[in-house]
Amino acid sequence: EYSWISDFLVELDCYSYVELSDDFEHIRDHHMKLNKNKTTQTITYFDSSLGKCTDKECSCLARHCRDRHIDNINEKKRREIFFIKYGTDDDDNNKQNKSKGKGGKGGSRKKKKKIIKTNTIKEQRMYSEINLQTKLDTIHITLRHHHLRLINTDKFITKIYGNDGQILKDGKKNKNKDKKDDGVDENKDEDIFRRMTKYSFGESITYWDNKHHRYCDSKYADIRNELLNNKIYPLSSDLYSTIKNRAISF
């Protein structure tokens, strides 16, 4: 038995986290994407081989559809979701280190220096385990619950969700633009979003020329500092480390 799925993957020796991701992308790109017939054949194959997975009884689906805000505010809960024990030796050591230096003879305290936390090897393994389980959830939902369309298959594409009819310059809808003479809508089976070919809003900003009238100075020292300390939605250090681990692994 294996405590972590990553341990099982390591035991395979000839298979890796990256290869798992590549195989999944191959199935999605060459046996599903932009081809309804291939998608139906692929889904039918998995259903006939493994049996159907009921939406309401699927733990992978429930975990994928969880409130992701919890991941940022409750690290204990996040680890429990991925079956990872929260209390670790590293946590105990950190608590002991924090307790050192408090009090002492005469009750004097030393000034605290701001130290940037570096993740231990055990913590890195934990972040890798969370990312691996998340990837397996994505694979399972895409192949076994494809009808829900919960996984975004288009990266770096802006989607504009609109109504069935086109919007004219005067603000009126032209509902018959894409219909034949018999009243049948040719785009009925197509996706409801429209892809943007270019951005047509906002203003360009210059970051490199401080004499330019549209120059914008940096507010934070780096992207890490901004993600952890911004006033809109700062990330917890553990969630940031998990995202960083995923970026490196892929």
Side-chain angles (χ1 to χ4, degrees):
E1 296 182 1
Y2 298 91
S3 300
W4 288 4
I5 298 177
S6 53
D7 293 335
F8 170 73
L9 205 63
V10 171
E11 192 71 17
L12 294 177
D13 190 37
C14 59
Y15 203 60
S16 68
Y17 181 72
V18 176
E19 289 173 318
L20 172 67
S21 178
D22 289 342
D23 287 344
F24 169 61
E25 293 299 332
H26 171 81
I27 293 174
R28 191 164 62 172
D29 289 342
H30 297 278
H31 300 277
M32 296 179 68
K33 207 173 191 180
L34 303 178
N35 192 313
K36 291 185 178 181
N37 292 331
K38 284 187 176 181
T39 300
T40 301
Q41 292 175 3
T42 302
I43 299 302
T44 302
Y45 169 77
F46 283 107
D47 287 344
S48 60
S49 301
L50 304 174
K52 288 193 174 182
C53 184
T54 307
D55 295 344
K56 293 183 179 180
E57 298 177 358
C58 180
S59 57
C60 295
L61 181 60
R63 181 165 64 179
H64 179 79
C65 296
R66 71 186 184 279
D67 181 6
R68 299 303 177 98
H69 180 58
I70 299 297
D71 295 358
N72 198 34
I73 63 175
N74 193 335
E75 179 61 19
K76 181 180 179 181
K77 181 67 175 177
R78 185 174 80 111
R79 296 190 192 185
E80 289 176 351
I81 291 174
F82 291 96
F83 309 102
I84 295 175
K85 187 178 179 182
Y86 182 71
T88 62
D89 296 336
D90 295 325
D91 295 332
D92 295 336
N93 292 334
N94 290 334
K95 290 179 181 178
Q96 292 177 3
N97 293 333
K98 288 180 181 179
S99 63
K100 292 180 181 179
K102 292 183 179 180
K105 293 183 179 181
S108 60
R109 294 185 180 181
K110 295 181 179 180
K111 292 183 179 180
K112 295 182 179 179
K113 293 182 179 180
K114 189 175 181 181
I115 301 175
I116 298 177
K117 177 185 174 184
T118 56
N119 298 319
T120 64
I121 296 177
K122 192 169 185 178
E123 287 175 327
Q124 289 293 351
R125 289 187 65 246
M126 180 194 69
Y127 300 137
S128 295
E129 175 68 14
I130 292 176
N131 286 324
L132 176 58
Q133 291 191 39
T134 301
K135 189 65 178 181
L136 290 172
D137 287 347
T138 302
I139 294 173
H140 174 82
I141 293 169
T142 302
L143 300 179
R144 312 307 315 285
H145 303 273
H146 183 73
H147 57 282
L148 297 177
R149 294 182 177 274
L150 295 176
I151 307 299
N152 179 25
T153 58
D154 296 301
K155 292 184 178 180
F156 314 117
I157 297 294
T158 301
K159 298 179 180 180
I160 304 298
Y161 290 84
N163 298 320
D164 294 336
Q166 297 289 333
I167 307 298
L168 301 179
K169 292 182 179 181
D170 58 1
K172 297 181 180 180
K173 296 180 180 179
N174 183 8
K175 295 184 178 180
N176 299 321
K177 182 177 180 180
D178 297 323
K179 291 185 178 181
K180 296 180 180 178
D181 296 337
D182 55 1
V184 178
D185 190 353
E186 292 180 343
N187 298 326
K188 184 177 181 180
D189 295 331
E190 293 183 0
D191 294 328
I192 63 172
F193 63 83
R194 306 178 184 90
R195 298 170 185 264
M196 291 187 65
T197 56
K198 65 179 180 179
Y199 290 102
S200 58
F201 54 88
E203 293 183 357
S204 61
I205 297 177
T206 302
Y207 300 96
W208 53 91
D209 185 4
N210 57 5
K211 296 181 179 179
H212 196 276
H213 67 284
R214 286 182 179 174
Y215 172 72
C216 180
D217 194 9
S218 59
K219 186 176 181 180
Y220 301 92
D222 49 47
I223 186 66
R224 176 185 181 277
N225 189 282
E226 181 174 358
L227 290 173
L228 294 176
N229 301 302
N230 72 84
K231 303 299 182 182
I232 301 175
Y233 192 82
L235 300 181
S236 67
S237 58
D238 287 297
L239 184 57
Y240 169 82
S241 298
T242 304
I243 296 173
K244 180 180 177 181
N245 177 276
R246 182 165 66 243
I248 294 174
S249 299
F250 281 102

